Amino acid sequence: MVKVKASELRKKDQDQLKKQVEDLKTELSTLKVAKVAGGAPAKLAKIKVVRKSIATALTVIHEKKLTQVRLDSKGKKYQPLDVRGKKTRAIRRRLTKKQENKLVLRVLKRKQNFPQRRFAVAK
Amino acid sequence: MAGKPKPDAKKTSKVLKKGLHQRKHKKWTTVRFRRPETKVLSRKPKYARTSVAGKTRLDKFSTFLQPLATEKALKIIETFNTLVFLVDPHADKKQIKKYAEQLYNIKVTKVNTLIRPDGKKKAFIKISPEYEGVDIANKIGII
């Protein structure tokens, strides 16, 4: 049996993918019965292929749902946690660039009005 | 002048002594103090914690692991019109009945289960007499 390719699965829509998963699962159950009833080695070898195909199909389904969620929540202040980016736990808890560089108004004004001057000696 | 209500002397004296807003003390009739019911707000999350709902772990395909085709199981199929399956240990009889009817197009009268010493669950699925156990087993592929 040829393994189902993810690139082909991505062309399908959600309902078709769900049906694909159901078909694969029914096939898997028949193969498992064949294993019990002493099936041909060809059938037994097929079990692994079918299991992996189910996994790829479910992955594609999840991927599609997540891309839709990403589109819906793009630009919004509060995004679902798995859309926000995993990075590392420490990085997620760091101050943002904006928060780090924030200055008190007094200091900000001082810096704006009295910037560090640079002089050069004319030749 | 006439028609103006006179302030009640008793009331004003009470207000002056105790203050304008007097809390009325509720009478406790029990010895214990139990927290009174307070307002409980329902959740209104600003964002979903998990954006995509995970798949259900026990669906109709994952309840049945494999049919049993041992000598004893085959005997049970013939004599009692009952299929014997190894089933997910978390599945309950109601689920097993429902999914067996869906998957194998049969009518189930009852389900008995036991948990084997090796931790697996065995389900004895009794089929209604209008179906032949042997035929169903053949169709599934057990025999």
Side-chain angles (χ1 to χ4, degrees):
Chain A
M1 182 194 168
V2 185
K3 184 175 76 164
V4 180
K5 289 207 161 192
S7 51
E8 286 180 19
L9 289 173
R10 288 200 187 106
K11 295 177 198 162
K12 301 190 179 179
D13 67 342
Q14 288 281 349
D15 295 322
Q16 286 179 323
L17 285 170
K18 273 190 198 168
K19 186 152 189 317
Q20 175 100 21
V21 170
E22 277 210 20
D23 294 341
L24 286 168
K25 283 193 175 178
T26 43
E27 194 177 346
L28 187 64
S29 56
T30 52
L31 289 172
K32 285 197 172 169
V33 174
K35 187 176 177 197
V36 170
K43 275 197 176 175
L44 299 183
K46 217 175 164 192
I47 285 183
K48 182 178 175 177
V49 178
V50 175
R51 272 176 50 228
K52 298 302 173 185
S53 306
I54 293 172
T56 44
L58 289 172
T59 308
V60 170
I61 289 175
H62 188 264
E63 230 179 54
K64 287 193 168 228
K65 281 190 191 168
L66 209 58
T67 47
Q68 185 58 43
V69 171
R70 278 183 214 277
L71 281 176
D72 294 339
S73 62
K74 197 175 178 91
K76 290 216 183 127
K77 188 176 179 196
Y78 294 114
Q79 293 180 329
L81 294 178
D82 34 5
V83 174
R84 291 189 194 187
K86 177 105 193 210
K87 298 177 193 166
T88 71
R89 190 163 197 255
I91 292 174
R92 276 180 267 141
R93 278 152 184 71
R94 288 209 285 243
L95 291 172
T96 63
K97 268 241 144 117
K98 216 176 175 186
Q99 289 166 339
E100 254 189 75
N101 296 330
K102 230 179 179 181
L103 295 170
V104 180
L105 185 65
R106 167 175 57 89
V107 175
L108 180 66
K109 294 250 172 188
R110 188 214 306 153
K111 290 207 167 182
Q112 283 173 348
N113 291 315
F114 305 105
Q116 181 67 44
R117 307 309 309 284
R118 284 166 173 267
F119 299 105
V121 178
K123 230 195 171 166
Chain B
M1 302 309 166
K4 227 183 186 180
K6 271 194 222 159
D8 191 4
K10 232 184 183 177
K11 263 194 187 170
T12 39
S13 75
K14 201 176 183 187
V15 167
L16 285 172
K17 277 191 208 162
K18 292 192 177 177
L20 194 62
H21 298 285
Q22 292 158 26
R23 202 176 292 142
K24 292 204 180 92
H25 284 287
K26 197 176 170 188
K27 250 199 256 178
W28 303 120
T29 54
T30 54
V31 181
R32 297 185 70 187
F33 175 75
R34 309 229 67 178
R35 177 174 61 77
E37 273 187 37
T38 53
K39 189 173 187 179
V40 176
L41 297 170
S42 58
R43 286 197 182 196
K44 285 202 196 90
K46 292 211 169 116
Y47 59 92
R49 292 333 184 236
T50 50
S51 52
V52 180
K55 63 174 182 128
T56 48
R57 293 227 182 102
L58 215 56
D59 61 346
K60 63 181 173 188
F61 297 107
S62 55
T63 46
F64 300 100
L65 301 176
Q66 56 166 181
L68 278 184
T70 57
E71 282 183 23
K72 185 177 188 179
L74 295 177
K75 199 168 178 207
I76 289 172
I77 296 174
E78 290 171 26
T79 49
F80 297 108
N81 215 34
T82 304
L83 297 173
V84 189
F85 276 88
L86 283 184
V87 147
D88 190 298
H90 297 286
D92 51 4
K93 290 184 185 180
K94 288 186 187 170
Q95 270 184 320
I96 296 168
K97 179 169 186 229
K98 186 171 83 172
Y99 292 144
E101 290 181 346
Q102 280 180 19
L103 280 180
Y104 305 120
N105 292 319
I106 51 177
K107 219 159 171 261
V108 176
T109 47
K110 79 164 169 178
V111 175
N112 285 353
T113 57
L114 63 83
I115 296 185
R116 288 156 124 215
D118 64 357
K120 298 185 186 163
K121 197 177 231 181
K122 198 187 320 187
F124 300 87
I125 304 171
K126 189 167 171 71
I127 319 173
S128 81
E130 56 209 48
Y131 299 92
E132 264 286 335
V134 186
D135 288 342
I136 304 288
N138 267 318
K139 235 196 328 174
I140 300 174
I142 305 169
I143 301 180

